[in-house]
Amino acid sequence: MTLFAPIFAWWLALFGVSAPDPCPHPVFLDATCEQAPPPPNQGAERSKGTPHTFKTRGRPTTQISNGF
Amino acid sequence: MSVQSILERVLQAVDQEAYLTPVEQVDGRFHEALSTVAAALADPSKHPDECRGLARALHREGRLDAVHLYSALHVIAASPKVKNYAEAARWAAEQESAALSAGGASLEANLASVDRHRGVLAFLQGHYEVALDYFARALERQRTPENVGNLLCALVRLGEIDEAVDLLSHLRRVLPASFVRALDERLHDDPDLRPLTNLERDP
């Protein structure tokens, strides 16, 4: 099987046919076809650096103290 | 009177309310004169030129020194009535020069005022990181509830809520009770900062 596969791919390429997808269907998946598991859910953490808007005035004004 | 002009007046009043000009931190010799300027600036019927004229008159009478005259002219230029930030920046530079010339025991407080003014200009133009830097310098030079409040405002605007809450909790532990009371008043009066006290209690 291991010897046959490259010869078969070369034979198909010779006739202009691309090699078949090594993982055409989940039933053929083996260790080499597995994808890395999705990262843990990071969306639950508060994203730092996102401007926080407590204002409810509906106007982009803001309270600031400019003491003499 | 059109609806638009009424709306403008309402928004002007909201802006004016959001622009605080306390005098508590000022050298006692100039406290009364600057209170007069602050009252004129808060009066909707007073034109900015009247406020400028008042500050200059107080300086001629010897009730304001050069440092505090330039500070007053900056506060007027940066106010919602004027919003001339380039003019406000020039007065802050004049104030710094006057403070360095005068020197003396008030130097640090006078330079803290300059840092605060520059921070406010950056804040009003949306440069919150620059504002944070100036407010931190102002606080290093002069530990006042006003300077802490401005620092917290900049942190909140940058989305650094956890840092703002941590800073607030730390200050509560290390600062005198009178300072914490004054800071709490500022927190209570400021809609941006009020939620921080809730986050302190319920992290």
Side-chain angles (χ1 to χ4, degrees), chain B residues 185-198:
Chain B
E185 283 175 22
R186 170 78 200 275
L187 293 171
H188 182 264
D189 292 342
D190 191 323
D192 263 349
L193 300 182
R194 204 177 301 144
L196 293 179
T197 51
N198 297 332

Side-chain angles (χ1 to χ4, degrees), chain A residues 16-59:
Chain A
V17 180
S18 59
D21 186 345
C23 297
H25 192 276
V27 76
F28 297 116
L29 283 179
D30 59 20
T32 58
C33 293
E34 279 182 358
Q35 294 182 342
N41 182 17
Q42 293 170 341
E45 295 174 19
R46 188 182 70 77
S47 58
K48 286 169 72 76
T50 305
H52 198 94
T53 50
F54 285 135
K55 290 285 180 210
T56 54
R57 288 191 184 113
R59 179 167 167 76

Side-chain angles (χ1 to χ4, degrees), chain A residues 64 66, chain B residues 15-21 41 74-75 78-80 120 124:
Chain A
I64 197 71
N66 199 11
Chain B
D15 281 350
Q16 192 66 48
E17 193 182 305
Y19 183 74
L20 311 175
T21 56
L41 193 59
H74 157 88
V75 170
S79 75
V120 167
L124 290 174

Side-chain angles (χ1 to χ4, degrees), chain B residues 58-201:
Chain B
L58 290 165
H59 176 58
R60 281 194 301 273
E61 292 167 14
R63 295 168 66 192
L64 282 183
D65 66 356
V67 174
H68 290 87
L69 168 65
Y70 297 139
S71 178
L73 292 172
H74 157 88
V75 170
I76 294 165
S79 75
K81 277 184 176 179
V82 181
K83 286 186 181 172
N84 187 338
Y85 301 138
E87 182 197 338
R90 286 195 292 275
W91 287 126
E94 292 283 353
Q95 183 188 0
E96 182 180 39
S97 178
L100 292 170
S101 296
S106 301
L107 179 61
E108 283 299 303
N110 287 337
L111 291 177
S113 172
V114 173
D115 288 332
R116 182 169 53 251
H117 291 337
R118 288 181 171 145
V120 167
L121 285 180
F123 190 93
L124 290 174
Q125 293 173 87
H127 300 294
Y128 302 120
E129 283 191 30
V130 179
L132 184 67
D133 186 39
Y134 279 122
F135 290 150
R137 288 191 213 181
L139 184 61
E140 282 167 6
R141 288 190 156 125
Q142 189 184 42
R143 286 174 176 74
T144 61
E146 180 190 22
N147 288 337
V148 174
N150 282 343
L151 193 70
L152 292 171
C153 274
L155 284 171
V156 166
R157 282 282 152 177
L158 286 166
E160 302 291 348
I161 308 300
D162 294 345
E163 285 72 9
V165 172
D166 287 348
L167 175 64
L168 189 55
S169 302
H170 179 72
L171 291 175
R172 279 192 200 288
R173 288 194 297 272
V174 299
L175 290 172
S178 59
F179 190 106
V180 172
R181 270 197 302 278
L183 183 57
D184 277 336
E185 283 175 22
R186 170 78 200 275
L187 293 171
H188 182 264
D189 292 342
D190 191 323
D192 263 349
L193 300 182
R194 204 177 301 144
L196 293 179
T197 51
N198 297 332
L199 290 171
E200 260 191 304
R201 282 194 290 269

